[in-house]
Amino acid sequence: MNESVERYVTVEHRSGAYIAKQLESSPPRVLVEIIAVLQHPLQGDLHNRYKADVTLFHERKAAAQREKVWVPAASVQPYEGDVPSYDESLRSAWEELMASMHSVADGSYDRARYPARPELQAWAVKSIEQLRSLEKDYWGSSSS
């Protein structure tokens, strides 16, 4: 019996989280195809998290729809549930990160999610600038 049941998984990749199809396994890595975005990648230098005053403040795009990436097998978890469209999930993840950055920038953020550090607000402001730039890349113009 040949059943073609697609196996969906969640993966973490470059500070983002995604729903993906598992395509191939070559321990200690797994090849996946990105289907939807669960969490938009953080902006900035991942080696100096939450700092705005770094040599290069990276703009981090979400992995593209159908992009194939190798991820550590340890980051792969089974996914059960509805799979949203890529566009819908990207918009939702981007909006969630943008709202989070606004709350950090204005000081009203959940301190359990981000550490209390003096440079945190400057990092959030720079992140908002990067996210606005990504908004134009993703959807062609500023819509929020």
Side-chain angles (χ1 to χ4, degrees):
M1 185 173 185
N2 183 12
E3 289 186 36
S4 61
V5 176
E6 294 182 310
R7 180 169 177 220
Y8 292 106
V9 296
T10 61
V11 298
E12 294 178 8
H13 178 64
R14 296 187 179 161
S15 85
Y18 303 91
I19 299 171
K21 288 183 197 174
Q22 185 171 328
L23 301 177
E24 189 178 318
S25 181
S26 180
R29 306 176 308 159
V30 173
L31 181 65
V32 298
E33 179 180 13
I34 302 298
I35 303 300
V37 182
L38 292 172
Q39 179 180 334
H40 195 282
L42 293 175
Q43 303 303 295
D45 184 343
L46 297 182
H47 300 289
N48 293 290
R49 284 192 176 213
Y50 313 122
K51 292 187 178 178
D53 188 19
V54 293
T55 305
L56 179 60
F57 195 89
H58 298 274
E59 176 184 87
R60 299 198 181 282
K61 283 187 170 188
Q65 182 178 19
R66 301 186 61 135
E67 182 176 346
K68 293 169 180 66
V69 296
W70 287 98
V71 297
S75 79
V76 177
Q77 300 296 322
Y79 178 78
E80 299 289 330
D82 294 331
V83 178
S85 74
Y86 179 84
D87 291 336
E88 175 185 299
S89 68
L90 175 61
R91 171 72 70 178
S92 178
W94 180 91
E95 287 175 350
E96 183 178 318
L97 182 57
M98 182 63 91
S100 177
M101 291 300 98
H102 277 290
S103 71
V104 172
D106 69 18
S108 65
Y109 67 98
D110 174 8
R111 285 172 174 63
R113 184 167 182 182
Y114 297 106
R117 299 166 105 177
E119 67 271 13
L120 203 54
Q121 286 178 304
W123 166 75
V125 169
K126 278 191 112 167
S127 292
I128 290 168
E129 292 171 12
Q130 295 290 18
L131 290 167
R132 286 280 179 225
S133 174
L134 287 173
E135 180 182 27
K136 291 175 186 155
D137 286 350
Y138 293 151
W139 301 291
S141 66
S142 182
S143 63
S144 297

